[in-house]
Amino acid sequence: MTILVIGATGRVGRHVVEQLVARYADVRVLTRDPAKAAFPAGVEVAQGHLLDIDALRAAFTGVSTLFLLNAVTGDEFTQAIITLNIAHEVGVERVVYLSVFDADGATNVPHFAVKHGAERMLEAMGFGATILRPTYFIDNELMVRDVILQHGVYPMPIGSKGVAMVDARDIAEVAAIELVRREQAPGKLPLETINIVGPDTLTGDSAAAIWSDILGRPIAYGGDDPSGFEQSMARIMPRWTAYEMRLMAERYVSDGMIPDDGDRERLTAMLGRPLHSYRETAVVLAA
């Protein structure tokens, strides 16, 4: 049977596909424009999107397990609910769903709240699912690289509580492990939630200190006020998305993203290796 990967062209999804291929899984991806998507040999490509019901039903033909990653869009919740309804309709019960850390707590952050809604649907409709709850992506630092390098400021308002930033490669490998585990199980497995965190819990000041050390010159933390961050994001993304990023940043400042006891140990045991660190990515971006 086949594992269907939705969200296969993004920072996490492309690594999920690579990890599944490395594990000799039969993989199908759903993408709007196959001509623009490059996947490893042997990956089956289905054209369509999550609001195209006919294409979605066709993509599920012969599928036994689903990886669902919804992009942060204005209709993210609709896309997630429709996809899970179609999965339920055709009898696909095995799911790995990419949610977000503390999805049930951050009720005012749109793309956190909608993911909690999808989590509730997975539970209420009896799916055998693994819910992955990653923290802030280390890979997001690409958005602020130029500000750091050119202006000497670390501008992400992540506060002083601490955020255990996670590498997309670690998220993807855990996802692939869970997809294969559920795919190969003789029956539907119980619902399970896994926090996916990084090895270090960073504050704004400690992130700036890492950059200072790598670059050999002072990098200052830009502070906890997310208003300037919102204005900067509005130059490169829709205004509503920039506002949502502000709400997310306010959540970092007020609550942080701090691992539960045993989260890191669980992940390193699953992966059989250390978690990728923030410094690794910063070194690459600084080059």
Side-chain angles (χ1 to χ4, degrees), residues 140-152:
N140 288 340
E141 302 301 74
L142 181 60
M143 294 189 299
V144 298
R145 173 185 180 274
D146 290 346
V147 175
I148 297 168
L149 298 184
Q150 296 173 18
H151 301 285

Side-chain angles (χ1 to χ4, degrees), residues 92-207:
V92 174
E93 298 180 314
R94 305 171 189 220
V95 177
V96 173
Y97 175 64
L98 192 72
S99 183
V100 67
F101 192 88
D102 195 30
D104 50 339
T107 54
N108 72 312
V109 181
H111 70 281
F112 285 42
V114 301
K115 288 177 173 63
H116 184 229
E119 289 183 6
R120 291 172 59 198
M121 181 177 177
L122 286 164
E123 182 176 10
M125 296 187 72
F127 285 93
T130 300
I131 295 168
L132 303 179
R133 286 183 161 188
T135 55
Y136 175 98
F137 290 12
I138 294 173
D139 309 64
N140 288 340
E141 302 301 74
L142 181 60
M143 294 189 299
V144 298
R145 173 185 180 274
D146 290 346
V147 175
I148 297 168
L149 298 184
Q150 296 173 18
H151 301 285
V153 174
Y154 178 73
M156 290 297 297
I158 60 173
S160 59
K161 295 291 180 66
V163 177
M165 299 186 194
V166 64
D167 192 290
R169 293 169 294 179
D170 291 339
I171 301 169
E173 189 167 349
V174 172
I177 289 168
E178 284 298 295
L179 285 162
V180 170
R181 182 175 75 92
R182 290 189 178 274
E183 169 74 7
Q184 294 180 348
K188 183 176 70 174
L189 300 174
L191 187 141
E192 185 174 1
T193 299
I194 301 175
N195 288 336
I196 308 188
V197 303
D200 308 303
T201 301
L202 301 172
T203 65
D205 286 330
S206 61

